[in-house]
Amino acid sequence: MNQPSEPNPGNRPAPPLWQWTVRAFAGLMLTALLAAASEMFFKKGAMETKDLPCALTWLGFTALQSWWVWPGMLIQILGMASYAAVLRKIPLYIAFSFMSILHVMIPIGARIFFDERISSRRWGGIVLVLAGIWIIAKPASRIEADVKREI
Amino acid sequence: MNAFILFLIILSQFFMVGGQLLIKHAMNFTNLNPKPWPKIVGLFAAGIGSMTVCFFMWLGFLQKLQLSHVFPFEGLSPVILVFGASFFLKEKIDRQCWMGIGLISIGIALVSMS
């Protein structure tokens, strides 16, 4: 008579496809929202401190004096953790392609929160960058995987 | 946007891509048993250092330029990755990659001029 096997939490059955898709999409959306939010916080902090004197003008050390930058960092770290968790479930190229949504979210955020005027030429450029990322996502992700093996 | 600023923004993307690859490589070693901790910590620290340089450069750009003007340059990171693989790993850049690189380059040029 066979002994009952011990429960093995590492071998749980995979969730149904729809559940997996919803979870992956929610994870990606959360990651994108966190990344966009952190950029808004950084921009706010950078604007507050842009007139402070600094020896290394092209390094924004002075922005650390703004209270907007610190929560921005925390949000970015949360975003990175969320991205790492998502990458355990879905292929890199899908995550990479999806995250290009930031190229639309950030200009819209900049328009809403900082009243940045975005010319049609800039929108045209953003759309081309977006299209380029979509085309390059799969081969770039494959190269990234190859690089990881080669190092 | 002048050539010096453009150079700095591109340089910051090199730091970003380098940092990401180092951290990802460090995380790959965590799957080994026993874990090579000195290697993992060293690669992780180098990756964090590279990304920190990029972070402070990015804050500097945000102090001087509009967010919607700087952010599209993040699209350069896959281009750097593809060229890096071509240079160091002798990988062939196929037609699809060239098309993507072309679109991103034209897009970046348009954003720079806006």
Side-chain angles (χ1 to χ4, degrees), chain A residues 39 43 57 60 116 122 144, chain B residues 24 56 64-66 68:
Chain A
E39 290 294 339
K43 178 62 184 169
T57 51
E116 288 186 12
R122 190 174 297 178
E144 198 163 327
Chain B
K24 277 172 187 162
F56 281 112
K64 292 161 185 71
L65 301 164
Q66 287 190 329
S68 63

Side-chain angles (χ1 to χ4, degrees), chain A residues 39-40 42-43 46 49-50 57-64 73 80 96 102-103 106 116-119 121-122 125-126 128-129 131-133 135-136 139-140 142-144 146-148 150-151, chain B residues 4-5 8 21 24-25 28 51 55-69 71-72 75 78 81-82 85 89 91 96-97 99-101 103-104 106-108 110-111 113-114:
Chain A
E39 290 294 339
M40 300 302 142
F42 291 150
K43 178 62 184 169
T49 54
K50 66 179 178 183
T57 51
W58 278 102
L59 289 175
F61 290 128
T62 51
L64 294 179
M73 279 190 213
M80 284 165 77
F96 196 91
L102 280 172
H103 285 273
I106 297 237
E116 288 186 12
R117 307 248 172 254
I118 303 170
S119 64
R121 180 184 279 185
R122 190 174 297 178
I126 290 166
L128 286 178
V129 169
I133 291 172
I135 290 173
I136 213 172
R142 181 184 49 77
I143 287 168
E144 198 163 327
D146 289 348
V147 170
K148 278 190 279 179
E150 288 281 335
I151 296 173
Chain B
F4 180 63
I5 299 171
L8 286 175
L21 289 177
K24 277 172 187 162
H25 192 49
N28 273 3
M51 288 172 89
F55 173 71
F56 281 112
M57 289 177 88
W58 193 253
L59 285 178
F61 302 142
L62 290 181
Q63 284 179 329
K64 292 161 185 71
L65 301 164
Q66 287 190 329
L67 179 57
S68 63
H69 200 176
F71 195 77
L81 198 63
V82 169
L89 306 179
E91 290 223 16
Q96 188 185 354
C97 273
M99 220 162 83
I101 290 166
L103 284 174
I104 291 171
I106 298 167
I108 296 280
L110 280 176
V111 171
M113 289 186 294
S114 67

Side-chain angles (χ1 to χ4, degrees), chain B residues 2-113:
Chain B
N2 63 38
F4 180 63
I5 299 171
L6 199 61
F7 165 75
L8 286 175
I9 295 178
I10 293 169
L11 185 66
S12 74
Q13 292 307 300
F14 273 96
F15 279 114
M16 174 54 77
V17 172
Q20 280 176 347
L21 289 177
L22 286 166
I23 288 173
K24 277 172 187 162
H25 192 49
M27 297 317 280
N28 273 3
F29 277 117
T30 60
N31 294 327
L32 298 179
N33 216 350
K35 298 185 195 326
W37 284 113
K39 211 172 207 175
I40 293 170
V41 172
L43 284 167
F44 198 81
I48 293 287
S50 183
M51 288 172 89
T52 303
V53 173
C54 172
F55 173 71
F56 281 112
M57 289 177 88
W58 193 253
L59 285 178
F61 302 142
L62 290 181
Q63 284 179 329
K64 292 161 185 71
L65 301 164
Q66 287 190 329
L67 179 57
S68 63
H69 200 176
V70 189
F71 195 77
F73 286 87
E74 290 243 329
L76 282 174
S77 54
V79 175
I80 292 168
L81 198 63
V82 169
F83 279 127
S86 166
F87 187 77
F88 292 110
L89 306 179
K90 309 291 173 215
E91 290 223 16
K92 198 167 172 269
I93 301 177
D94 61 20
R95 192 183 293 176
Q96 188 185 354
C97 273
W98 278 119
M99 220 162 83
I101 290 166
L103 284 174
I104 291 171
S105 307
I106 298 167
I108 296 280
L110 280 176
V111 171
S112 310
M113 289 186 294

Side-chain angles (χ1 to χ4, degrees), chain A residues 66-82:
Chain A
S66 165
W67 286 104
W68 287 99
V69 169
W70 295 95
M73 279 190 213
L74 182 68
I75 293 169
Q76 190 155 66
I77 290 167
L78 288 174
M80 284 165 77
S82 164

Side-chain angles (χ1 to χ4, degrees), chain A:
Chain A
M1 195 170 149
N2 290 336
Q3 287 187 341
S5 59
E6 286 182 9
N8 184 354
N11 286 339
R12 279 179 298 187
L17 184 63
W18 69 268
Q19 213 176 56
W20 178 88
T21 310
V22 169
R23 277 188 201 168
F25 179 76
L28 281 170
M29 206 60 210
L30 176 70
T31 306
L33 284 171
L34 288 170
S38 70
E39 290 294 339
M40 300 302 142
F41 276 79
F42 291 150
K43 178 62 184 169
K44 185 85 179 154
M47 280 165 65
E48 259 188 12
T49 54
K50 66 179 178 183
D51 296 323
L52 294 178
C54 181
L56 298 163
T57 51
W58 278 102
L59 289 175
F61 290 128
T62 51
L64 294 179
Q65 293 176 43
S66 165
W67 286 104
W68 287 99
V69 169
W70 295 95
M73 279 190 213
L74 182 68
I75 293 169
Q76 190 155 66
I77 290 167
L78 288 174
M80 284 165 77
S82 164
Y83 192 56
V86 165
L87 283 182
R88 291 167 71 99
K89 293 188 187 119
I90 61 169
L92 178 63
Y93 81 92
I94 294 177
F96 196 91
S97 307
F98 187 91
M99 290 306 288
S100 62
I101 196 173
L102 280 172
H103 285 273
V104 177
M105 286 168 86
I106 297 237
I108 291 172
R111 179 81 182 88
I112 294 169
F113 295 110
F114 307 111
D115 202 27
E116 288 186 12
R117 307 248 172 254
I118 303 170
S119 64
S120 50
R121 180 184 279 185
R122 190 174 297 178
W123 271 121
I126 290 166
V127 168
L128 286 178
V129 169
L130 196 61
I133 291 172
W134 273 75
I135 290 173
I136 213 172
K138 201 164 183 174
S141 304
R142 181 184 49 77
I143 287 168
E144 198 163 327
D146 289 348
V147 170
K148 278 190 279 179
R149 278 195 293 273
E150 288 281 335
I151 296 173

